[in-house]
Amino acid sequence: MTTASDAHATHRGDWLDFPDVRLVRTLAGAVIQLADLGSLSSFKLPYPAEAQRALDRTVLACLLRGAEEVPRSLPELLFWCHTRPLEDWPLDLPPDAFGPDDYLVDPEALVPTQLCHEWWIRGKDAGAAQFDREVVHTAMRLCRKASSPESYVAFRRLLVERPVLTGVERFETDTDLFLAPVQELLDQCYAPVPASYEFEGTYVTCGRCLTMLTPVAGGTWWCERDRCRRRGAPPHGRTLGGTEAAGLLQLVRPLRQFVTSPGRAEVALEARLSALGLEVQLWPGFDAYDLRVTFPDGYVWAIDVKDWKHPGLLGRSAKPVRPEPPYNESCWVAPREQVESHRDYIGTYRRNRPLSAEGLPLLTDDRLVTLATARLRGTNDPHLTDPAPTNGTDRA
Ligand SMILES: [Zn+2]
């Protein structure tokens, strides 16, 4: 068993010393490209170039490691993707990189997993364009130009609370004065819902995530968000058929995954902290950070909420919370369920965190609420710090 001091002895940024980390990204890219071309269950030769490259490199990596089994074709490789968690592939990967549920293709729905999309998008070089960030930055610039921080908050709320819009609802957003500065940007954010989401003439949204559910064999519905699926069958939100189904729009995937999903967590945390009687501001200063929490004595916490499946990628991207609007203490917060689904989420985050973000603790949402409650009661003057290392999970 690895002790805390062993873990800290592992030198930082060591992920790229594992040659197959890049291969996982290539695989993720190939799976997503194939899914975009159609079904993940039928292919014709020649295979698309990216898929062929992923297959060739996987075969080489297996041979290098003397693996007994090697995927011989693209169908075999995809079979691995939905039957074998990545930790069971004969690849040279960091020991803390993947857990037993980490598949590239969902075993049930046979579509790329959230983890797969995360690796494909977040695994890219830091300089690579990232659509979700570009959209959010564009909104920020447009709202600054209009001197309207309210417009920026309205835009973010729309993306978090309305990931699906009927034709009529889209029309209503056209007349929302707060959204005026970002009208044209909205056309880049919402796209028609593809037919693959329709079953017997109707579309269904998830009651928890508000995003579209995908119909799967047996007449059941599947939610694309990992954290939602772990909580059991998705409750049905809206059922949309007939005229509502015509002209139906949804946010494009990078925005659903990187804005709506963490946004749900941000809005939920805002509600919990407000319920304690604290003053909470969402996305202050044109989104300098996610939540600004002011205590009755004027003491301020600055919080960024991160809903990532993968704590290693999260740690590698850690950077201090922006200094303005000013605050006394800051931290990153991850949903407790996300943390508990990994055998050492906080520890993995910490081991991958760069030196420049050494002072940035990661807490669960529950722990943050506990600390806020304690601070309000005046007990022990609690501070936002890394929890003591435990056997895997961070409990409040
Ligand atoms: Zn859901």
Side-chain angles (χ1 to χ4, degrees):
M1 184 168 161
T2 311
T3 66
S5 57
D6 285 338
H8 283 295
T10 314
H11 72 94
R12 285 158 199 282
D14 54 1
W15 269 33
L16 291 177
D17 294 348
F18 290 85
D20 293 336
V21 164
R22 286 172 206 279
L23 175 56
V24 172
R25 198 183 92 63
T26 304
L27 281 163
V31 165
I32 286 165
Q33 192 194 33
L34 288 169
D36 285 347
L37 287 175
S39 158
L40 281 181
S41 56
S42 61
F43 308 101
K44 292 196 189 89
L45 286 163
Y47 301 144
E50 178 120 7
Q52 185 65 53
R53 201 155 56 93
L55 176 62
D56 294 344
R57 291 186 51 200
T58 307
V59 171
L60 285 182
C62 290
L63 295 175
L64 271 176
R65 304 212 70 194
E68 289 187 3
E69 284 179 89
V70 176
R72 303 273 170 205
S73 65
L74 197 54
E76 268 185 55
L77 182 68
L78 284 161
F79 184 74
W80 279 33
C81 289
H82 66 84
T83 55
R84 237 176 234 242
L86 278 165
E87 68 172 5
D88 294 342
W89 290 47
L91 300 179
D92 199 358
L93 294 169
D96 60 1
F98 298 102
D101 298 326
D102 290 340
Y103 298 90
L104 286 173
V105 174
D106 185 83
E108 195 189 343
L110 298 184
V111 299
T113 56
Q114 191 177 329
L115 178 89
C116 185
H117 283 281
E118 221 166 74
W119 269 81
W120 180 57
I121 294 177
R122 293 296 184 226
K124 281 181 187 170
D125 297 335
Q130 290 168 359
F131 181 73
D132 58 305
R133 291 185 190 176
E134 267 174 40
V135 164
V136 167
H137 285 152
T138 304
M140 212 179 285
R141 283 203 301 274
L142 291 170
C143 297
R144 268 185 203 280
K145 227 164 85 182
S147 304
S148 179
E150 301 84 356
S151 289
Y152 180 75
V153 173
F155 172 80
R156 284 294 293 266
R157 270 203 190 271
L158 184 75
L159 266 48
V160 172
E161 291 172 352
R162 319 280 296 275
V164 172
L165 292 177
T166 63
V168 172
E169 289 165 348
R170 175 69 186 92
F171 182 74
E172 284 166 3
T173 62
D174 269 343
T175 56
D176 184 324
L177 285 181
F178 279 131
L179 292 173
V182 292
Q183 274 310 332
E184 283 179 33
L185 183 62
L186 290 180
D187 292 331
Q188 309 294 311
C189 300
Y190 289 89
V193 177
S196 55
Y197 287 89
E198 177 253 304
F199 182 70
E200 293 181 346
T202 55
Y203 295 82
V204 177
T205 63
C206 177
R208 280 193 283 259
C209 311
L210 314 182
T211 44
M212 282 290 168
L213 294 173
T214 304
V216 289
T220 55
W221 296 82
W222 180 86
C223 180
E224 66 186 7
R225 196 159 70 131
D226 296 336
R227 199 149 71 77
C228 178
R229 288 199 307 281
R230 275 197 299 276
R231 292 168 65 183
H236 290 196
R238 307 162 77 191
T239 300
L240 301 161
T243 51
E244 281 184 315
L248 202 57
L249 300 170
Q250 67 175 344
L251 283 178
V252 296
R253 173 180 282 280
L255 294 175
R256 299 200 299 274
Q257 184 163 352
F258 296 113
V259 180
T260 308
S261 177
R264 309 283 313 144
E266 289 156 18
V267 168
L269 188 59
E270 178 216 16
R272 289 175 74 183
L273 294 168
S274 297
L276 297 176
L278 290 164
E279 185 191 319
V280 188
Q281 206 184 345
L282 271 174
W283 310 303
F286 291 101
D287 207 15
Y289 43 87
D290 291 334
L291 288 102
R292 188 166 193 269
V293 183
T294 309
F295 286 85
D297 62 359
Y299 200 81
V300 176
W301 285 354
I303 299 162
D304 269 325
V305 180
K306 302 288 170 182
D307 188 8
W308 290 33
K309 167 94 173 145
H310 202 283
L313 289 178
L314 182 65
R316 292 171 61 83
S317 75
K319 56 178 188 296
V321 175
R322 289 208 194 98
E324 292 287 333
Y327 52 83
N328 300 98
E329 282 186 278
S330 64
C331 69
W332 277 11
V333 166
R336 179 177 55 83
E337 290 153 310
Q338 197 71 278
V339 170
E340 287 183 348
S341 72
H342 188 282
R343 69 173 85 86
D344 185 16
Y345 193 98
I346 303 253
T348 305
Y349 162 82
R350 223 181 300 170
R351 286 193 293 281
N352 287 282
R353 182 175 55 185
L355 279 170
S356 56
E358 183 87 44
L360 182 72
L362 178 69
L363 311 178
T364 66
D365 45 2
D366 284 3
R367 183 170 150 84
L368 185 91
V369 171
T370 303
L371 290 177
T373 309
R375 193 174 192 287
L376 275 171
R377 289 202 193 112
T379 39
N380 301 329
D381 192 17
H383 289 286
L384 303 177
T385 50
D386 278 324
T390 63
N391 293 331
T393 54
D394 159 54
R395 290 187 182 278

